[in-house]
Amino acid sequence: MSGDPLVPTSEPWPGMGEARRLIANARSVFVLTGAGISAESGVPTFRDALTGLWAQFDPEELASEEAYRRQPALVWEWYLHRRELVAEARPNPAHYALVALAAQKPVTLVTQNVDGLHQRAGSQHVIELHGNLFANKWLNGCGRCDEATALPGNPPRCNLCGALMRPGVVWFGEDLPRVARFRAEHAAESADLCLVVGTSGLVYPAAGLPGLAREHGAPVIVVNPQPSVLDQTADVVLQAAAGACLPLLWPQSAG
Ligand code: OAD
């Protein structure tokens, strides 16, 4: 190693130059994001240990229909807590960088996140594979569910049939929304380049999308400060935090 560490180099992370070149040359980009892109906004990643009152729970054990049926008040309370966290959060430079990229070339932005921060930054046509934290739907509703009433400390229930209201997210064991999945797969198959940001790559089918893009000829760039299973699918791995790295990968003006 040589040089003054205080003087910025043109390649702050190994692979940066190659990533910049791939992005500049791509006609269209397929972007897959996960919880890591919102980490710098203060939203805990999905597999982070929960804090405070929630520290004793495993998020994977709260995010299922079975868990909700078993302990509706507890799971509903957890989602209200997450809604509060996300409502207080703001998009970070990584979210804004993707808005700038979409102003320069066709981008399909597919996210596993339910926090809506891409949309709040200004990204349009975001494909939400796992739903949205602020949406509600009915658990086995009667088809005419409309008004709901909540007893203190409990989730709302339909006034007509008593069905539980539930968050509009995809839980473990559930299928992805069909249209979102179809559009995401089509985009992965047809893009020139695949950029993966802040996902552990552990949850399928989302985790299979970079491999699908690669099979169809797109180079894959992974941005994640930690090693992930997707590194083996990647042509370039940038071991960097998204908010620090993405704004340096392409011009931040509309171009
Ligand atoms: P995870 O919590 O599994 O992984 C987050 C990833 O982000 C990890 O690999 C971190 O190393 C990385 N990371 C942390 N800080 C970062 C930063 N500043 N910049 C970039 N990367 C960073 O979250 P997901 O991969 O999104 O699904 O989890 C996938 C799905 O698992 C979630 O959508 C959720 C869960 O099951 C459902 O709820 C259906």
Side-chain angles (χ1 to χ4, degrees):
M1 286 278 279
S2 64
D4 182 342
L6 296 177
V7 177
T9 64
S10 59
E11 188 156 320
W13 294 279
M16 198 77 177
E18 173 67 354
R20 281 195 186 120
R21 190 185 63 73
L22 286 169
I23 294 165
N25 290 341
R27 279 163 306 171
S28 62
V29 186
F30 169 79
V31 183
L32 175 67
T33 66
I37 198 168
S38 296
E40 288 152 272
S41 295
V43 181
T45 61
F46 201 82
R47 285 172 181 75
D48 268 350
L50 299 182
T51 54
L53 287 175
W54 299 100
Q56 56 182 308
F57 298 104
D58 175 351
E60 295 203 15
E61 281 170 18
L62 293 172
S64 73
E65 181 179 327
E66 194 201 343
Y68 192 43
R69 286 192 185 279
R70 214 177 329 116
Q71 294 181 291
L74 176 85
V75 173
W76 184 253
E77 186 62 32
W78 183 54
Y79 276 93
L80 294 183
H81 165 72
R82 290 181 61 199
R83 283 178 182 178
E84 276 170 25
L85 275 181
V86 167
E88 287 165 13
R90 299 281 170 270
N92 69 57
H95 296 105
Y96 290 113
L98 290 173
V99 180
L101 183 64
Q104 292 159 33
K105 57 184 82 200
V107 169
T108 304
L109 176 52
V110 177
T111 189
Q112 298 165 86
N113 298 345
V114 296
D115 57 30
L117 288 178
H118 285 302
Q119 293 90 328
R120 280 169 58 193
S123 284
Q124 296 182 344
H125 314 298
V126 180
I127 300 177
E128 293 182 312
L129 286 179
H130 294 165
N132 191 291
L133 190 56
F134 296 94
N136 287 318
K137 56 188 184 184
W138 300 101
L139 185 61
N140 292 347
C142 59
R144 292 181 299 129
C145 297
D146 186 12
E147 300 279 306
T149 307
L151 294 173
N154 283 286
R157 286 182 179 273
C158 168
N159 289 346
L160 290 175
C161 69
L164 279 168
M165 190 177 270
R166 55 157 285 182
V169 300
V170 175
W171 276 334
F172 285 98
E174 295 180 335
D175 290 336
L176 266 49
R178 278 166 59 100
V179 173
R181 182 174 176 180
F182 175 81
R183 289 180 55 210
E185 287 173 349
H186 177 71
E189 287 168 0
S190 41
D192 261 7
L193 176 71
C194 172
L195 174 64
V196 183
V197 186
T199 178
S200 57
L202 295 175
V203 176
Y204 282 79
L209 293 167
L212 187 63
R214 195 157 202 271
E215 275 167 32
H216 285 77
V220 176
I221 301 171
V222 164
V223 179
N224 193 322
Q226 303 295 330
S228 81
V229 291
L230 292 173
D231 293 358
Q232 62 205 44
T233 310
D235 295 83
V236 180
V237 177
L238 297 171
Q239 281 213 347
C245 173
L246 260 55
L248 303 179
L249 283 174
W250 52 81
Q252 293 307 296
S253 60

